[in-house]
Amino acid sequence: MISRVYRATLFALYQLCIVVGITMMPLAIAARQAGFTLPIHRLLENVEDAYTAAQP
């Protein structure tokens, strides 16, 4: 039961990270033009790795 809740929570977090990444796209483009990048891709990769590791 707990593993099911854990996987569901990770899935929701993964989906939330995708939505945040999409909504922050204009900010990321402006930041890249200013000379630096936002590490959103690292957050998304870490959450995705945790989600896939939790799969049975």
Side-chain angles (χ1 to χ4, degrees), residues 1-52:
M1 178 71 177
I2 295 208
S3 64
R4 186 179 297 174
V5 172
Y6 179 70
R7 283 193 309 256
T9 303
L10 281 175
F11 180 72
L13 182 61
Y14 179 66
Q15 294 297 318
L16 180 65
C17 287
I18 290 173
V19 169
V20 167
I22 290 170
T23 57
M24 291 185 66
M25 183 69 79
L27 178 63
I29 291 171
R32 181 167 285 189
Q33 288 180 348
F36 61 94
T37 59
L38 300 176
I40 297 171
H41 65 282
R42 284 190 235 153
L43 173 67
L44 188 58
E45 287 174 357
N46 288 338
V47 173
E48 181 182 12
D49 290 343
Y51 178 69
T52 55

